[in-house]
Amino acid sequence: MFRLWLTLAATAFAAEILLAAEVEVKPAASPTKSASSPSNKPAASPASRPAASPSGTPSATPATAQLPQYRPALLPLGPNSVINRIDEAGLIRDGQKDGSLYFRCAVSRTGEILDTWTYHQSSDSTLLERELVRCLDRAVFIPAIYDHEMVDAFFFGTVTFKVVDGKPRVRIFANQEEAELKKESDFIGPQPFIGRGSKFEGLHYPNDTVTSQLTGIVELGIKIDATGKLLDLRIVSEYPPLVGFRRAAAEDFRVATFIPAFREGKPVACEITLPVYYEP
């Protein structure tokens, strides 16, 4: 996966600069590894804002206009957006109950999805996972920006499904923090990126110590300032233990720089738990 990431990242380097767009929003009324993916925030997600905000105006700005200082990778609005393509009625018909799952997308500087992983599924969320992956299949992100440049980044998202008064309610959030998800906060989690200003080079599966085909997940407790600088990193949990995933995650992220977290459209400092998923 690491070779795929670097190969596609290098190819994308020469791509033309894309224009800013808005965050995906769905009105309140209304891993399995896959070669597709993305996601973004619901009605609680940020609207378009200028400068350092995570979004801008759709394609009305000349290509020569200065890009914002920071912007996380996001999904665009529109009738064909991921959240609007999810078949809510079909999920209810097929028996999907309340459920949720995490996912992560590797997003190139051109907005293309290089890889997707789903994990931390709640019980009975198989139908929801299948539908998310289907809708992510042809999705394209608004690419991340750091220091006024498009960069390759990792997007961490959560999709939830609830039946409220007999009606389906789907939300896609750009973070995986339990407290933020419960409040449906206007919060976008920090995103590690590859590009100028970061020594992060993607994930490295610990082939030197893992001799069988294992998947692993490590939870990192990280503290990041409002510029995306990593201030502190600690291991919260590791599964399976003692086979090398802990060391791999620490080495992969100790030199990382992040697109900072955004709250209500502004970059902020934060302390989060970041799940890092490894697959052979």
Side-chain angles (χ1 to χ4, degrees), residues 95-277:
Q96 177 65 55
K97 307 300 182 184
D98 290 4
S100 65
L101 59 95
Y102 289 173
F103 64 99
R104 185 189 76 207
C105 302
V107 182
S108 78
R109 68 192 65 193
T110 63
E112 297 171 296
I113 299 167
L114 308 180
D115 279 299
T116 298
W117 298 262
T118 59
Y119 50 100
H120 270 346
Q121 296 92 334
S122 63
S123 59
D124 300 323
S125 63
T126 302
L127 294 172
L128 178 62
E129 178 188 25
R130 186 184 306 159
E131 181 65 8
L132 174 69
V133 170
R134 181 189 72 83
C135 293
L136 291 174
D137 186 48
R138 286 176 289 178
V140 177
F141 272 86
I142 299 166
I145 292 173
Y146 183 83
D147 195 19
H148 310 289
E149 281 192 358
M150 303 287 188
V151 293
D152 307 307
F154 278 171
F155 175 94
F156 293 84
T158 305
V159 60
T160 65
F161 179 86
K162 294 181 180 180
V163 180
V164 181
D165 297 328
K167 296 181 180 180
R169 184 174 185 266
V170 177
R171 292 290 182 269
I172 303 180
F173 299 89
N175 75 84
Q176 297 178 349
E177 298 304 295
E178 185 176 351
E180 305 289 352
L181 296 173
K182 285 181 178 179
K183 295 184 293 184
E184 297 194 356
S185 303
D186 182 352
F187 178 75
I188 300 174
Q191 300 173 357
F193 72 91
I194 296 175
R196 190 178 72 179
S198 178
K199 295 181 180 179
F200 180 66
E201 296 181 343
L203 304 181
H204 299 75
Y205 189 86
N207 288 306
D208 57 333
T209 57
V210 180
T211 56
S212 58
Q213 296 295 299
L214 295 176
T215 58
I217 189 164
V218 180
E219 290 187 320
L220 298 176
I222 59 176
K223 183 177 181 180
I224 299 168
D225 70 14
T227 70
K229 181 180 178 181
L230 179 64
L231 302 178
D232 186 52
L233 181 150
R234 60 188 175 84
I235 305 295
V236 176
S237 67
E238 170 196 28
Y239 184 83
L242 306 177
V243 293
F245 293 115
R246 177 192 188 102
R247 172 181 58 83
E251 291 179 355
D252 285 340
F253 282 88
R254 65 183 175 82
V255 294
T257 303
F258 292 75
I259 307 295
F262 276 76
R263 189 178 298 281
E264 298 179 356
K266 297 179 181 180
V268 294
C270 70
E271 293 186 49
I272 68 164
T273 300
L274 188 74
V276 183
Y277 181 79

Side-chain angles (χ1 to χ4, degrees), residues 26-39:
K26 185 160 190 178
S30 35
T32 306
K33 186 178 179 182
S34 160
S36 58
S37 80
S39 112

Side-chain angles (χ1 to χ4, degrees), residues 1-11 33 113-115:
M1 177 221 153
F2 174 57
R3 290 180 180 176
L4 172 64
W5 170 272
L6 287 186
T7 300
L8 293 179
T11 303
K33 186 178 179 182
I113 299 167
L114 308 180
D115 279 299

